[in-house]
Coordinates of all heavy atoms in Angstrom, one line a residue:
M6 N 0.8 -1.2 0.0 CA 0.0 0.0 0.0 C 0.9 1.2 0.0 O 1.8 1.3 0.8 CB -0.9 0.0 1.2 CG -1.8 1.2 1.4 SD -2.8 1.1 2.8 CE -4.3 1.7 2.1
V7 N 0.6 2.2 -0.9 CA 1.3 3.4 -0.9 C 0.3 4.6 -0.7 O -0.8 4.6 -1.3 CB 1.9 3.6 -2.3 CG1 2.6 4.9 -2.4 CG2 2.9 2.5 -2.6
V8 N 0.7 5.5 0.2 CA -0.1 6.7 0.5 C 0.8 7.9 0.5 O 1.8 7.9 1.2 CB -0.8 6.5 1.9 CG1 -1.6 7.8 2.2 CG2 -1.7 5.3 1.9
W9 N 0.4 8.9 -0.2 CA 1.1 10.1 -0.3 C 0.6 11.0 0.8 O -0.6 11.4 0.8 CB 1.0 10.8 -1.6 CG 1.8 10.2 -2.7 CD1 3.1 10.4 -3.0 CD2 1.4 9.1 -3.5 NE1 3.5 9.6 -4.0 CE2 2.5 8.8 -4.3 CE3 0.2 8.4 -3.7 CZ2 2.4 7.8 -5.3 CZ3 0.1 7.5 -4.7 CH2 1.2 7.2 -5.5
V10 N 1.4 11.4 1.8 CA 0.9 12.1 3.0 C 0.6 13.6 2.6 O -0.4 14.2 3.0 CB 1.9 12.0 4.1 CG1 1.5 12.8 5.3 CG2 2.1 10.6 4.5
V11 N 1.6 14.2 2.0 CA 1.4 15.7 1.7 C 0.6 15.8 0.4 O 0.9 15.3 -0.6 CB 2.8 16.3 1.4 CG1 2.7 17.8 1.1 CG2 3.7 16.1 2.6
P12 N -0.6 16.5 0.5 CA -1.4 16.7 -0.7 C -0.6 17.6 -1.7 O 0.0 18.6 -1.4 CB -2.6 17.4 -0.2 CG -2.4 17.8 1.2 CD -1.1 17.2 1.7
E13 N -0.7 17.2 -3.0 CA -0.1 17.9 -4.0 C -1.1 18.6 -4.8 O -2.1 18.1 -5.2 CB 0.7 16.9 -4.9 CG 1.4 17.5 -6.1 CD 2.2 16.5 -6.9 OE1 2.4 15.4 -6.4 OE2 2.5 16.9 -8.0
S14 N -0.9 19.9 -5.1 CA -1.8 20.7 -5.8 C -1.3 20.9 -7.3 O -0.1 21.3 -7.5 CB -1.9 22.1 -5.2 OG -2.8 22.9 -5.9
V15 N -2.1 20.6 -8.2 CA -1.7 20.7 -9.6 C -2.8 21.6 -10.3 O -4.0 21.3 -10.2 CB -1.7 19.3 -10.3 CG1 -1.4 19.5 -11.8 CG2 -0.7 18.4 -9.6
D16 N -2.3 22.7 -10.9 CA -3.2 23.6 -11.6 C -3.1 23.3 -13.1 O -2.0 23.3 -13.7 CB -2.9 25.0 -11.4 CG -3.1 25.4 -9.9 OD1 -4.1 24.9 -9.3 OD2 -2.4 26.3 -9.4
V17 N -4.2 23.1 -13.8 CA -4.2 23.0 -15.2 C -5.3 23.9 -15.9 O -6.3 24.2 -15.2 CB -4.5 21.5 -15.7 CG1 -3.4 20.6 -15.2 CG2 -5.8 21.0 -15.1
V18 N -5.1 24.2 -17.1 CA -6.1 25.0 -17.9 C -6.5 24.1 -19.0 O -5.7 23.6 -19.8 CB -5.4 26.3 -18.4 CG1 -6.4 27.0 -19.3 CG2 -5.0 27.2 -17.3
V19 N -7.8 23.9 -19.1 CA -8.4 23.0 -20.0 C -9.4 23.8 -20.9 O -10.2 24.6 -20.4 CB -9.1 21.8 -19.3 CG1 -9.8 20.9 -20.4 CG2 -8.2 21.1 -18.5
T20 N -9.3 23.6 -22.2 CA -10.3 24.2 -23.1 C -11.4 23.3 -23.3 O -11.3 22.1 -23.8 CB -9.6 24.5 -24.5 OG1 -8.5 25.4 -24.3 CG2 -10.6 25.2 -25.4
L21 N -12.6 23.8 -23.0 CA -13.9 23.0 -23.2 C -14.8 23.7 -24.2 O -14.8 25.0 -24.3 CB -14.6 22.9 -21.9 CG -13.9 22.1 -20.8 CD1 -14.7 22.2 -19.5 CD2 -13.7 20.7 -21.2
Y22 N -15.5 23.0 -25.0 CA -16.4 23.5 -26.0 C -17.8 23.2 -25.7 O -18.1 22.2 -25.1 CB -16.0 23.0 -27.4 CG -14.6 23.4 -27.9 CD1 -13.6 22.5 -27.8 CD2 -14.4 24.6 -28.3 CE1 -12.3 22.8 -28.2 CE2 -13.1 25.0 -28.8 CZ -12.1 24.1 -28.7 OH -10.8 24.4 -29.1
R23 N -18.7 24.1 -26.0 CA -20.1 23.8 -25.9 C -20.9 24.5 -27.0 O -20.5 25.5 -27.6 CB -20.6 24.2 -24.5 CG -20.8 25.7 -24.3 CD -21.4 26.0 -22.9 NE -21.4 27.4 -22.7 CZ -22.3 28.3 -23.0 NH1 -23.4 27.8 -23.6 NH2 -22.2 29.6 -22.8
D24 N -22.1 24.0 -27.2 CA -23.0 24.6 -28.2 C -23.6 25.8 -27.6 O -24.0 25.8 -26.4 CB -24.1 23.6 -28.5 CG -25.1 24.1 -29.5 OD1 -24.8 25.1 -30.2 OD2 -26.2 23.4 -29.6
P25 N -23.7 26.9 -28.3 CA -24.2 28.2 -27.7 C -25.6 28.1 -27.2 O -26.0 28.9 -26.3 CB -24.1 29.2 -28.9 CG -23.2 28.6 -29.8 CD -23.2 27.1 -29.7
H26 N -26.4 27.1 -27.6 CA -27.8 26.9 -27.2 C -27.9 25.9 -26.1 O -29.0 25.6 -25.7 CB -28.6 26.5 -28.4 CG -28.5 27.4 -29.6 ND1 -29.0 28.7 -29.5 CD2 -27.9 27.3 -30.8 CE1 -28.7 29.3 -30.7 NE2 -28.1 28.5 -31.5
S27 N -26.8 25.4 -25.6 CA -26.8 24.4 -24.5 C -26.1 24.9 -23.3 O -25.2 25.8 -23.4 CB -26.2 23.1 -25.0 OG -26.1 22.2 -24.0
T28 N -26.3 24.3 -22.2 CA -25.6 24.7 -20.9 C -24.6 23.7 -20.6 O -23.8 24.0 -19.6 CB -26.6 24.8 -19.8 OG1 -27.3 23.6 -19.6 CG2 -27.6 25.9 -20.0
T29 N -24.5 22.6 -21.2 CA -23.5 21.5 -20.9 C -22.3 21.6 -21.9 O -22.5 22.0 -23.0 CB -24.1 20.1 -21.0 OG1 -24.6 19.9 -22.3 CG2 -25.2 20.0 -19.9
Y30 N -21.2 21.2 -21.4 CA -20.0 21.3 -22.2 C -19.7 19.9 -22.8 O -20.2 18.9 -22.4 CB -18.8 21.6 -21.3 CG -18.8 23.1 -20.9 CD1 -19.4 23.5 -19.8 CD2 -18.1 24.0 -21.7 CE1 -19.4 24.8 -19.4 CE2 -18.1 25.4 -21.3 CZ -18.8 25.8 -20.2 OH -18.8 27.1 -19.8
D31 N -19.0 19.9 -23.9 CA -18.6 18.6 -24.6 C -17.7 17.8 -23.7 O -17.1 18.3 -22.8 CB -17.9 18.9 -25.9 CG -18.8 19.6 -27.0 OD1 -20.0 19.5 -26.8 OD2 -18.3 20.1 -27.9
D32 N -17.7 16.5 -24.0 CA -16.8 15.6 -23.2 C -15.4 15.9 -23.4 O -14.9 16.3 -24.5 CB -17.1 14.2 -23.6 CG -18.5 13.7 -23.3 OD1 -19.1 14.3 -22.5 OD2 -18.9 12.6 -23.9
K33 N -14.6 15.9 -22.3 CA -13.2 16.1 -22.3 C -12.6 15.0 -21.3 O -12.6 15.2 -20.1 CB -12.8 17.5 -21.8 CG -11.4 17.8 -21.9 CD -10.9 18.0 -23.3 CE -9.7 18.9 -23.4 NZ -9.5 19.5 -24.7
E34 N -12.2 13.9 -21.9 CA -11.8 12.8 -21.0 C -10.3 12.8 -20.7 O -9.5 13.0 -21.6 CB -12.1 11.5 -21.7 CG -11.9 10.3 -20.8 CD -12.5 9.0 -21.4 OE1 -13.7 8.9 -21.5 OE2 -11.6 8.2 -21.8
W35 N -10.0 12.8 -19.5 CA -8.6 12.7 -19.0 C -8.4 11.3 -18.4 O -9.3 10.8 -17.7 CB -8.3 13.8 -18.0 CG -7.9 15.1 -18.5 CD1 -8.4 15.7 -19.7 CD2 -6.9 16.0 -18.0 NE1 -7.8 16.9 -19.9 CE2 -6.9 17.1 -18.9 CE3 -6.1 16.0 -16.9 CZ2 -6.1 18.2 -18.6 CZ3 -5.3 17.1 -16.7 CH2 -5.3 18.1 -17.5
T36 N -7.2 10.8 -18.5 CA -6.9 9.5 -17.9 C -5.8 9.7 -16.9 O -4.8 10.3 -17.1 CB -6.4 8.5 -19.0 OG1 -7.4 8.4 -20.0 CG2 -6.1 7.1 -18.4
F37 N -6.1 9.3 -15.6 CA -5.2 9.3 -14.5 C -4.5 8.0 -14.4 O -5.1 6.9 -14.4 CB -5.9 9.6 -13.2 CG -6.4 11.0 -13.2 CD1 -7.7 11.3 -13.6 CD2 -5.7 12.1 -12.7 CE1 -8.2 12.6 -13.6 CE2 -6.2 13.4 -12.6 CZ -7.4 13.6 -13.1
L38 N -3.1 8.0 -14.4 CA -2.3 6.8 -14.3 C -1.5 6.8 -13.1 O -1.0 7.8 -12.6 CB -1.4 6.8 -15.5 CG -1.9 6.9 -16.9 CD1 -0.8 7.0 -17.9 CD2 -2.8 5.7 -17.2
V39 N -1.3 5.6 -12.6 CA -0.3 5.3 -11.5 C 0.8 4.5 -12.2 O 0.5 3.4 -12.8 CB -0.9 4.6 -10.3 CG1 0.2 4.2 -9.3 CG2 -2.0 5.4 -9.7
E40 N 2.0 5.0 -12.2 CA 3.1 4.3 -12.8 C 4.1 3.8 -11.9 O 4.4 4.4 -10.8 CB 3.8 5.2 -13.8 CG 2.9 5.7 -15.0 CD 3.6 6.6 -15.9 OE1 4.6 7.3 -15.5 OE2 3.3 6.6 -17.1
N41 N 4.8 2.7 -12.2 CA 5.9 2.2 -11.4 C 7.1 2.4 -12.3 O 7.2 2.1 -13.4 CB 5.7 0.7 -11.2 CG 6.9 0.1 -10.4 OD1 7.5 0.8 -9.6 ND2 7.2 -1.2 -10.6
E42 N 8.1 3.0 -11.6 CA 9.4 3.3 -12.3 C 10.5 2.5 -11.7 O 10.8 2.6 -10.5 CB 9.7 4.8 -12.2 CG 10.9 5.2 -13.0 CD 11.2 6.6 -13.1 OE1 10.3 7.4 -12.8 OE2 12.4 7.0 -13.3
S43 N 11.1 1.7 -12.5 CA 12.3 0.9 -12.0 C 13.3 0.8 -13.1 O 12.9 0.5 -14.3 CB 11.8 -0.5 -11.5 OG 11.3 -1.3 -12.6
R44 N 14.5 1.0 -12.8 CA 15.6 0.9 -13.7 C 15.4 1.8 -15.0 O 15.7 1.4 -16.1 CB 15.9 -0.5 -14.2 CG 16.3 -1.4 -13.1 CD 16.7 -2.8 -13.6 NE 16.0 -3.7 -12.8 CZ 15.4 -4.8 -13.2 NH1 15.4 -5.1 -14.4 NH2 14.7 -5.6 -12.3
G45 N 14.8 3.0 -14.7 CA 14.6 3.9 -15.8 C 13.4 3.6 -16.7 O 13.2 4.4 -17.7
R46 N 12.7 2.6 -16.5 CA 11.5 2.2 -17.3 C 10.3 2.4 -16.5 O 10.2 2.2 -15.3 CB 11.6 0.8 -17.7 CG 12.9 0.5 -18.6 CD 13.0 -0.9 -19.0 NE 11.9 -1.3 -19.9 CZ 11.5 -2.5 -20.2 NH1 12.1 -3.5 -19.6 NH2 10.5 -2.7 -21.0
R47 N 9.2 2.9 -17.2 CA 7.9 3.1 -16.5 C 6.9 2.1 -17.0 O 6.9 1.8 -18.2 CB 7.4 4.5 -16.9 CG 8.2 5.6 -16.2 CD 7.6 6.9 -16.6 NE 8.3 8.0 -16.0 CZ 7.9 9.3 -16.1 NH1 6.9 9.6 -16.8 NH2 8.6 10.2 -15.5
S48 N 6.1 1.7 -16.1 CA 5.0 0.8 -16.5 C 3.7 1.2 -15.8 O 3.8 1.6 -14.6 CB 5.3 -0.7 -16.2 OG 5.5 -0.8 -14.9
V49 N 2.6 1.2 -16.4 CA 1.3 1.6 -15.8 C 0.8 0.4 -15.0 O 0.7 -0.7 -15.5 CB 0.3 2.0 -16.9 CG1 -1.0 2.3 -16.3 CG2 0.8 3.1 -17.8
V50 N 0.5 0.7 -13.7 CA 0.0 -0.3 -12.8 C -1.5 -0.1 -12.5 O -2.2 -1.1 -12.2 CB 0.8 -0.4 -11.5 CG1 2.2 -0.8 -11.8 CG2 0.7 0.9 -10.8
A51 N -2.1 1.1 -12.7 CA -3.5 1.3 -12.5 C -3.9 2.6 -13.3 O -3.1 3.5 -13.5 CB -3.8 1.5 -11.1
A52 N -5.2 2.6 -13.7 CA -5.6 3.8 -14.5 C -7.1 4.0 -14.4 O -7.8 3.1 -14.0 CB -5.3 3.6 -16.0
A53 N -7.6 5.2 -14.6 CA -9.0 5.6 -14.6 C -9.2 6.8 -15.4 O -8.4 7.7 -15.5 CB -9.5 5.9 -13.1
A54 N -10.4 6.8 -16.1 CA -10.8 7.9 -16.9 C -11.7 8.8 -16.2 O -12.6 8.3 -15.4 CB -11.4 7.4 -18.2
L55 N -11.7 10.1 -16.4 CA -12.5 11.1 -15.8 C -12.9 12.1 -16.9 O -12.1 12.7 -17.6 CB -11.8 11.8 -14.6 CG -12.6 12.8 -13.9 CD1 -13.8 12.2 -13.1 CD2 -11.7 13.5 -12.9
D56 N -14.2 12.4 -17.0 CA -14.8 13.3 -17.9 C -14.8 14.7 -17.3 O -15.7 14.9 -16.4 CB -16.1 12.9 -18.4 CG -16.7 13.9 -19.4 OD1 -15.9 14.7 -20.0 OD2 -17.9 13.8 -19.7
L57 N -13.9 15.6 -17.7 CA -13.9 16.9 -17.0 C -15.0 17.8 -17.5 O -15.4 18.8 -16.8 CB -12.5 17.6 -17.4 CG -11.3 16.9 -16.8 CD1 -10.0 17.7 -17.2 CD2 -11.4 16.8 -15.3
G58 N -15.7 17.5 -18.6 CA -16.8 18.3 -19.0 C -18.0 18.3 -18.1 O -18.8 19.2 -18.1
R59 N -18.1 17.2 -17.3 CA -19.2 17.1 -16.4 C -19.1 18.1 -15.2 O -20.1 18.4 -14.6 CB -19.2 15.7 -15.7 CG -19.6 14.6 -16.6 CD -19.7 13.3 -15.9 NE -19.3 13.4 -14.5 CZ -19.1 12.3 -13.7 NH1 -19.3 11.1 -14.1 NH2 -18.8 12.5 -12.4
F60 N -17.9 18.6 -14.9 CA -17.8 19.4 -13.7 C -17.7 20.9 -14.1 O -17.7 21.7 -13.2 CB -16.5 19.0 -13.0 CG -16.5 17.6 -12.6 CD1 -15.8 16.6 -13.3 CD2 -17.2 17.1 -11.5 CE1 -15.8 15.3 -13.0 CE2 -17.3 15.8 -11.2 CZ -16.6 14.9 -11.9
A61 N -17.7 21.3 -15.3 CA -17.7 22.7 -15.7 C -19.1 23.2 -15.8 O -20.0 22.5 -16.2 CB -17.0 22.8 -17.1
G62 N -19.2 24.5 -15.4 CA -20.5 25.1 -15.5 C -20.3 26.6 -15.4 O -19.2 27.1 -15.2
P63 N -21.4 27.4 -15.5 CA -21.3 28.8 -15.4 C -20.9 29.3 -14.0 O -20.2 30.4 -13.9 CB -22.7 29.3 -15.7 CG -23.6 28.1 -15.5 CD -22.8 26.9 -15.7
A64 N -21.1 28.6 -13.0 CA -20.7 29.0 -11.6 C -19.5 28.2 -11.2 O -19.3 27.0 -11.7 CB -21.8 28.7 -10.6
P65 N -18.6 28.7 -10.4 CA -17.4 28.0 -9.9 C -17.9 26.7 -9.2 O -18.9 26.7 -8.5 CB -16.7 28.9 -9.0 CG -17.2 30.3 -9.4 CD -18.6 30.1 -9.9
T66 N -17.2 25.6 -9.4 CA -17.5 24.3 -8.9 C -16.4 23.7 -8.1 O -15.2 23.9 -8.4 CB -17.9 23.3 -10.0 OG1 -18.8 23.9 -10.9 CG2 -18.4 22.0 -9.5
R67 N -16.7 23.1 -7.0 CA -15.7 22.4 -6.2 C -16.3 21.0 -5.8 O -17.3 21.0 -5.1 CB -15.3 23.2 -4.9 CG -14.1 22.5 -4.2 CD -13.6 23.5 -3.1 NE -12.4 22.9 -2.6 CZ -11.1 23.2 -3.1 NH1 -11.0 24.0 -4.1 NH2 -10.1 22.7 -2.5
V68 N -15.6 19.9 -6.1 CA -16.1 18.6 -5.9 C -15.0 17.7 -5.3 O -13.9 17.8 -5.7 CB -16.6 17.9 -7.2 CG1 -17.1 16.6 -7.0 CG2 -17.6 18.8 -7.9
A69 N -15.3 16.9 -4.3 CA -14.4 15.9 -3.8 C -14.8 14.5 -4.4 O -16.0 14.2 -4.4 CB -14.5 15.8 -2.3
L70 N -13.8 13.8 -5.0 CA -14.1 12.6 -5.7 C -13.3 11.5 -5.1 O -12.1 11.7 -4.7 CB -13.8 12.7 -7.1 CG -14.5 13.7 -8.0 CD1 -13.9 13.8 -9.4 CD2 -16.0 13.2 -8.1
A71 N -13.8 10.3 -5.1 CA -13.1 9.1 -4.9 C -13.1 8.3 -6.1 O -14.2 7.7 -6.5 CB -13.6 8.3 -3.7
L72 N -12.0 8.2 -6.9 CA -12.0 7.6 -8.2 C -11.4 6.2 -8.1 O -10.2 6.1 -7.8 CB -11.2 8.6 -9.1 CG -11.1 8.3 -10.6 CD1 -12.5 8.4 -11.2 CD2 -10.2 9.3 -11.3
P73 N -12.2 5.2 -8.4 CA -11.6 3.9 -8.4 C -10.7 3.7 -9.7 O -11.1 4.0 -10.8 CB -12.8 2.9 -8.4 CG -13.9 3.7 -9.0 CD -13.6 5.2 -8.7
L74 N -9.5 3.2 -9.5 CA -8.6 2.9 -10.6 C -8.7 1.5 -11.0 O -8.7 0.6 -10.1 CB -7.2 3.3 -10.2 CG -7.0 4.8 -9.8 CD1 -5.6 5.0 -9.1 CD2 -7.0 5.6 -11.1
R75 N -8.6 1.2 -12.3 CA -8.6 -0.2 -12.8 C -7.2 -0.7 -12.8 O -6.3 -0.1 -13.4 CB -9.2 -0.2 -14.2 CG -9.5 -1.6 -14.7 CD -10.1 -1.6 -16.0 NE -9.0 -1.2 -17.0 CZ -9.2 -0.6 -18.1 NH1 -10.4 -0.2 -18.4 NH2 -8.2 -0.3 -18.9
P76 N -7.0 -1.8 -12.1 CA -5.6 -2.4 -12.0 C -5.1 -2.8 -13.4 O -5.9 -3.4 -14.2 CB -5.7 -3.7 -11.2 CG -6.9 -3.4 -10.3 CD -7.9 -2.6 -11.2
R77 N -3.9 -2.5 -13.8 CA -3.3 -2.9 -15.1 C -2.2 -3.8 -14.9 O -1.5 -4.1 -15.9 CB -2.8 -1.6 -15.8 CG -3.9 -0.7 -16.2 CD -4.3 -1.1 -17.6 NE -5.1 -0.2 -18.3 CZ -4.7 0.8 -19.1 NH1 -3.5 1.1 -19.1 NH2 -5.6 1.6 -19.7
S78 N -1.9 -4.3 -13.7 CA -0.9 -5.2 -13.4 C -1.4 -6.3 -12.5 O -2.3 -6.1 -11.7 CB 0.3 -4.5 -12.7 OG 1.2 -5.4 -12.2
R79 N -0.8 -7.5 -12.6 CA -1.3 -8.6 -11.8 C -0.8 -8.4 -10.3 O -1.4 -9.0 -9.4 CB -0.7 -9.9 -12.3 CG -1.4 -10.4 -13.5 CD -0.8 -11.7 -14.0 NE 0.3 -11.4 -14.9 CZ 1.3 -12.1 -15.1 NH1 1.5 -13.2 -14.5 NH2 2.3 -11.7 -15.9
K80 N 0.1 -7.5 -10.1 CA 0.6 -7.3 -8.8 C -0.3 -6.3 -8.0 O -0.1 -6.2 -6.8 CB 2.0 -6.7 -8.8 CG 3.0 -7.7 -9.4 CD 4.4 -7.0 -9.5 CE 5.4 -8.0 -10.1 NZ 6.7 -7.4 -10.2
V81 N -1.2 -5.7 -8.7 CA -2.1 -4.7 -8.0 C -3.5 -5.3 -7.8 O -4.1 -5.8 -8.8 CB -2.2 -3.4 -8.9 CG1 -3.2 -2.4 -8.2 CG2 -0.9 -2.8 -9.0
A82 N -3.9 -5.3 -6.6 CA -5.3 -5.9 -6.3 C -6.3 -4.8 -6.4 O -7.4 -5.1 -7.0 CB -5.3 -6.5 -4.9
A83 N -6.1 -3.6 -5.9 CA -7.1 -2.5 -6.0 C -6.3 -1.2 -5.8 O -5.3 -1.2 -5.2 CB -8.1 -2.7 -4.9
A84 N -6.9 -0.2 -6.4 CA -6.3 1.2 -6.3 C -7.4 2.2 -6.4 O -8.4 2.0 -7.1 CB -5.3 1.4 -7.4
S85 N -7.2 3.3 -5.7 CA -8.2 4.4 -5.8 C -7.4 5.7 -5.6 O -6.4 5.8 -5.0 CB -9.3 4.3 -4.7 OG -8.7 4.4 -3.4
L86 N -8.1 6.8 -6.1 CA -7.5 8.1 -6.0 C -8.5 9.0 -5.5 O -9.6 9.1 -6.0 CB -7.1 8.5 -7.5 CG -6.6 10.0 -7.6 CD1 -5.2 10.1 -6.9 CD2 -6.4 10.3 -9.1
R87 N -8.2 9.7 -4.4 CA -9.1 10.7 -3.8 C -8.6 12.1 -4.2 O -7.4 12.4 -4.0 CB -9.1 10.6 -2.3 CG -10.0 9.4 -1.9 CD -10.1 9.4 -0.4 NE -8.8 8.9 0.1 CZ -8.6 8.7 1.4 NH1 -9.5 8.9 2.3 NH2 -7.4 8.2 1.8
L88 N -9.4 12.9 -4.8 CA -9.0 14.2 -5.2 C -10.1 15.2 -5.1 O -11.3 14.9 -4.9 CB -8.6 14.1 -6.7 CG -9.6 13.7 -7.7 CD1 -10.1 14.9 -8.5 CD2 -8.9 12.7 -8.7
S89 N -9.7 16.4 -5.0 CA -10.6 17.6 -4.9 C -10.4 18.3 -6.2 O -9.3 18.8 -6.6 CB -10.2 18.5 -3.7 OG -11.0 19.6 -3.7
L90 N -11.5 18.5 -6.9 CA -11.5 19.1 -8.2 C -12.3 20.4 -8.2 O -13.4 20.5 -7.7 CB -12.2 18.2 -9.2 CG -12.3 18.6 -10.7 CD1 -10.9 18.7 -11.3 CD2 -13.2 17.7 -11.5
S91 N -11.7 21.5 -8.6 CA -12.4 22.8 -8.7 C -12.4 23.3 -10.1 O -11.3 23.2 -10.8 CB -11.8 23.8 -7.7 OG -10.5 24.1 -8.0
A92 N -13.5 23.9 -10.6 CA -13.6 24.4 -11.9 C -14.1 25.8 -11.9 O -15.0 26.1 -11.2 CB -14.5 23.5 -12.8
T93 N -13.4 26.7 -12.8 CA -13.8 28.0 -12.9 C -13.7 28.4 -14.4 O -12.7 28.1 -15.0 CB -12.9 29.0 -12.1 OG1 -12.9 28.6 -10.7 CG2 -13.4 30.4 -12.2
V94 N -14.7 29.0 -14.9 CA -14.7 29.5 -16.3 C -13.8 30.8 -16.3 O -14.1 31.8 -15.7 CB -16.1 29.8 -16.9 CG1 -16.0 30.3 -18.3 CG2 -16.9 28.5 -16.9
L95 N -12.7 30.7 -17.1 CA -11.8 31.9 -17.2 C -12.2 32.8 -18.3 O -12.1 34.0 -18.2 CB -10.4 31.4 -17.4 CG -9.7 30.6 -16.4 CD1 -8.4 30.1 -16.8 CD2 -9.7 31.3 -15.0
H96 N -12.7 32.3 -19.4 CA -13.0 33.1 -20.6 C -14.0 32.4 -21.5 O -13.8 31.2 -21.7 CB -11.7 33.4 -21.4 CG -11.9 34.2 -22.6 ND1 -12.3 35.5 -22.6 CD2 -11.8 33.8 -23.9 CE1 -12.4 35.9 -23.9 NE2 -12.1 34.9 -24.7
E97 N -15.0 33.0 -22.0 CA -15.9 32.5 -22.9 C -15.8 33.3 -24.2 O -15.6 34.5 -24.2 CB -17.3 32.5 -22.4 CG -17.7 31.4 -21.5 CD -19.1 31.2 -21.3 OE1 -19.9 31.2 -22.3 OE2 -19.6 31.1 -20.2
G98 N -15.8 32.6 -25.3 CA -15.6 33.2 -26.6 C -16.0 32.3 -27.7 O -16.5 31.2 -27.5
H99 N -15.9 32.7 -28.9 CA -16.2 31.9 -30.1 C -14.9 31.2 -30.6 O -13.9 31.9 -30.7 CB -16.8 32.8 -31.2 CG -18.0 33.5 -30.8 ND1 -19.2 32.8 -30.7 CD2 -18.3 34.8 -30.5 CE1 -20.2 33.6 -30.3 NE2 -19.6 34.8 -30.2
P100 N -15.0 29.9 -31.0 CA -13.8 29.3 -31.5 C -13.5 29.8 -32.9 O -14.4 30.1 -33.7 CB -14.2 27.8 -31.6 CG -15.7 27.8 -31.6 CD -16.1 29.1 -30.9
T101 N -12.2 30.0 -33.2 CA -11.9 30.5 -34.5 C -11.0 29.5 -35.2 O -10.4 28.7 -34.6 CB -11.1 31.8 -34.3 OG1 -9.9 31.6 -33.5 CG2 -11.9 32.9 -33.8

């Protein structure tokens, strides 16, 4: 079992698209990976997909998630990722 004690904050900017006549955004799927690194080589041991378009909206959003990861190695029985996700619309405009 591996647990990271210090929470790590990662800021990303994601471009999402939506139809001007709709309030929901298009799907934007991100894949979270847990990798094992040994002797300079990386291998994926667990992964999960998350649709970021579900969490975006006109008002700022903050959600706590427990994301179950799918094992990708026979050595991993189960894995999960707990994260806090916040979304804020920075700019709205027309795609060019």
